[in-house]
DNA sequence: GATGAATGAGCGTTCATTCAT
DNA sequence: AATGAATGAACGCTCATTCAT
């Protein structure tokens, strides 16, 4: 009971942190203000987390735990690659809207003064999806769904690049603006169109073709 | 003459700023150190720029001026869309390596405490390439190079998403790590492979196909 | 019985406090850590002692209670002054080693932010030995062991100065270093030498001499 | 001219620091308050000194520079050992009164949380006087002024112990109280008496004697 | 104009003390 | 009574910005 109260408090602190971090960035976020907004004293915050960086990391982990579920669920039991892609795209759209801040957190680590942790974080965060994507692309290739001369890892990389950019386009200010500029002011109200067009874009890439490219 | 001297000094200041900003991020960059490294007094710096943010903006503009040339040059006089894409990909690879800092600057604005300027910056930065891409995709569509049911703006968006992610993969720490995880430790030494695979990925998207996608 | 349990607990708290205070000094000692190390809650600690300063005072008193026995025992029943001095010196050596922390506590009050209590503490701590020393020096003087023109109180002061410096030299970091510098790296393994030389130094001071000093 | 102004400012900062440190101890001294009292901003203080510890060290050095002159001057050109001792005692009396704070600074390092620097500081501070004293005691011994069976280093140690205790007795609160308790309330107004008695105390120690001590 | 010393608000972190349970 | 989670004032230090020279 006490435990439950503590846990809900902890989550409230994390959520507040995520809200502040995703609004102001790591450096500009003020720990004292986070504590006040979360309704606790700084002391409590420093009881749970040993430093601001540590606190940010905890917020990040909390965000990623939610995000990784999204991918996991979207990949359940499907067979055809385009169907899988469609599920992922829709998952991204839903998730990015629902957990705007979580995604902004993810984006936060790719810039600013968090360079020092780049290698560790990337390994921790990207390894799973990199492996999953590459594996199901390889599988798709074996089943003739993808051109035989494609490198599954690179294709996984391109695919993920499209997904994360889309994700940020629904959750990070700058990317959202860019999204509107590229696709029109009403693109945020037209999720279906985005799904369709991206699938068209992927379709051919993910569909066996005989053509070969010749480079000089 | 005096003007010229000032101009070269100004550029030196901007270059120093870009170097520092792209290394440490906006918040952690110390204006006094920038001034010292640039060989000027802080007073001069504050004469040219009214605040740190303003200075960052100027550095950003300077970076983008260089970057925009890259796109412009890559688009000169070419006709076939895949050839154009190839030129752009190679330009991105060359540019990202040569002007690592400039690209890091660009990435810097997409996160952190720079939210307030997102709309203005996006409009300023993305409008041109958004228009250029959409136009030549529309042209390509008219000439039968791209499937007739594609939305040129969305396709331009997807195409640009692939390019900027690639750009960051060559110039920003986190994205570079992600790149290695997805594509292997030696991917940075294998630019040709990246070009080929991305072209394969794009090829079908950018090549007329009769298939249509049916969504439930 | 309950009382007894409390008493032993109290002593454990005090001993822990003494250990921490003598290691880190008054300010740097953390009450919460003291409580944890002593195996009690801070609440208990603040039940017994109304503040950190108050707790330090209690620790100090506890230390001094042990230290005062040392002097007392060393002065039992002896007659000749040099024999008494020898007993005291040996007592200091033994005590300083055995109760390093207690002595460090004593030294702690002579500096730092404890100025406010100087007068009270000095009166409490020094009065006894000041009186004892002065009295037996007076006695010694009457019996011709000390030059007749000596002021027993001043001589007691000088004698005690030598003893406390020696005490600190065996128990406080800085004084120990100084001891090594003055007397050689192996002086801490050579207690007998210290005894002998200090007795030589005192011998003449404490032995009647005819000489008189003439100051201009 | 500007240089001069800066130097005087620097000294004012150091003097303020010495005043605060010797009043409140290292930990309780507030850098912001020191800055305010010195009439500068914290920024200036941190321009000159890289941390609080560094600032304390600078204050200490400043204190010691003055103190070492005292010893140096007192040792100029004298021959007879007791005359030298007398000069030193008088120097200590004068110096301790004039530079009360400087001496308190010296005492500050012997306790509290400055343990980490004990070895370095002791070496730096004590080495010189240890060597000087030992040398002139050795010289005195050769000339028959001191008993031939004395160890000059140990005797130097005892002599210095008497001097520093006296020094603190004129400059540190606790030691001053102890001084009054041992020697009477009016001892601070009776410097001559202290000189005379200490010389008497030393006289025999520093004067050749035939007696030998026999220990069991 | 140019300088760069000086400013001082602001923030991360600690820890003595309190008080609800 | 005993606990120890929670408090929040306090302080060391940084650095964007100003302004006297």
């Amino acid at each position: 009971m006490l435990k439950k109260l503590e846990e809900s408090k902890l989550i409230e602190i994390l959520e507040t942190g995520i809200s502040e971090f995703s609004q102001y960035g790591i450096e500009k976020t003020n720990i004292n203000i986070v504590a006040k907004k979360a309704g606790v004293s700084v002391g409590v915050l420093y009881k749970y987390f040993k430093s601001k960086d540590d606190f940010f990391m905890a917020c990040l982990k909390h965000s990623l735990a939610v995000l990784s579920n999204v991918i996991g669920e979207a990949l359940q039991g499907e067979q055809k690659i385009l169907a899988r892609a469609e599920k992922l795209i829709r998952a991204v759209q839903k998730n990015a809207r629902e957990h705007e801040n979580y995604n902004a957190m993810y984006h936060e680590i790719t810039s600013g003064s968090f360079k020092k942790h780049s290698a560790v974080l990337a390994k921790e965060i990207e390894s799973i999806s990199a492996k999953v994507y590459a594996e199901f692309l390889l599988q798709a290739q074996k089943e003739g769904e993808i051109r035989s001369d494609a490198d599954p890892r690179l294709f996984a990389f391109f695919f993920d690049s499209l997904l994360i950019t889309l994700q940020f386009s629904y959750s990070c200010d700058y990317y959202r603006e860019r999204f509107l500029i590229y696709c029109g002011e009403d693109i945020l109200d037209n999720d279906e169109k985005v799904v369709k067009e991206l699938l068209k874009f992927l379709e051919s890439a993910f569909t066996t073709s005989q053509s070969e490219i010749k480079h000089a």
Side-chain angles (χ1 to χ4, degrees), chain A:
Chain A
M1 205 144 59
L2 188 70
K3 191 79 198 230
K4 197 144 197 182
L5 201 72
E6 274 175 26
E7 190 139 330
S8 78
K9 199 73 210 164
L10 186 66
I11 289 176
E12 194 181 334
I13 296 172
L14 288 170
E15 296 284 357
T16 310
I18 289 164
S19 163
E20 295 290 297
F21 280 131
S22 55
Q23 266 182 80
Y24 306 111
I26 299 174
E27 330 289 348
K28 279 279 177 85
T29 291
N30 181 328
I31 287 290
N32 291 272
I33 289 175
V34 170
K36 194 160 281 171
K37 286 193 180 178
V40 296
S41 66
V42 259
V44 167
L45 215 149
Y46 275 88
K47 180 147 244 170
Y48 288 126
F49 315 101
K50 70 180 217 291
S51 69
K52 190 189 192 182
D53 263 28
D54 191 55
F55 176 52
F56 174 77
M57 282 294 198
C59 290
L60 181 63
K61 295 259 158 76
H62 187 69
S63 303
L64 295 175
V66 176
L67 298 191
S68 72
N69 284 341
V70 176
I71 291 183
E73 281 172 25
L75 293 177
Q76 294 297 320
E78 275 301 332
Q79 303 299 344
K80 295 285 248 175
I81 190 156
L82 278 176
R84 265 182 169 157
E86 186 179 341
K87 280 184 80 174
L88 277 165
I89 297 165
R90 289 188 193 281
V92 160
Q93 284 179 327
K94 187 162 178 287
N95 158 72
R97 286 247 171 62
E98 269 174 25
H99 305 293
E100 201 171 299
N101 289 342
Y102 294 177
N103 286 287
M105 287 295 284
Y106 170 35
H107 185 249
E108 194 63 25
I109 61 173
T110 65
S111 70
S113 62
F114 232 64
K115 292 221 158 57
K116 39 186 173 181
H117 300 119
S118 292
V120 178
L121 285 173
K123 196 132 268 159
E124 217 170 299
I125 296 168
E126 307 288 349
S127 291
I128 301 156
S129 54
K131 211 177 156 211
V132 170
Y133 291 166
E135 269 168 16
F136 81 61
L137 284 182
L138 185 63
Q139 187 62 28
Q141 200 173 35
K142 280 179 187 161
E143 290 168 16
E145 289 186 295
I146 291 180
R147 50 192 296 173
S148 59
D149 63 341
D151 182 319
R153 296 177 77 181
L154 276 284
F155 268 49
F157 172 71
F158 300 138
F159 177 55
D160 187 62
S161 295
L162 286 165
L163 283 186
I164 63 172
T165 316
L166 191 65
Q167 200 165 63
F168 295 151
S169 300
Y170 285 109
S171 49
C172 303
D173 290 346
Y174 184 89
Y175 281 97
R176 188 159 33 224
E177 292 297 330
R178 171 178 167 276
F179 197 24
L180 299 179
I181 290 164
Y182 265 90
C183 306
E185 288 290 328
D186 57 354
I187 195 65
L188 292 172
D189 306 320
N190 215 336
D191 287 5
E192 208 51 42
K193 182 179 176 185
V194 175
V195 174
K196 266 191 200 159
E197 296 296 325
L198 183 46
L199 282 174
K200 277 184 213 164
F201 191 86
L202 290 171
E203 184 187 20
S204 24
F206 283 179
T207 303
T208 308
S209 138
Q210 273 68 35
S211 65
E212 292 280 305
I213 303 155
K214 275 121 214 145
H215 309 288

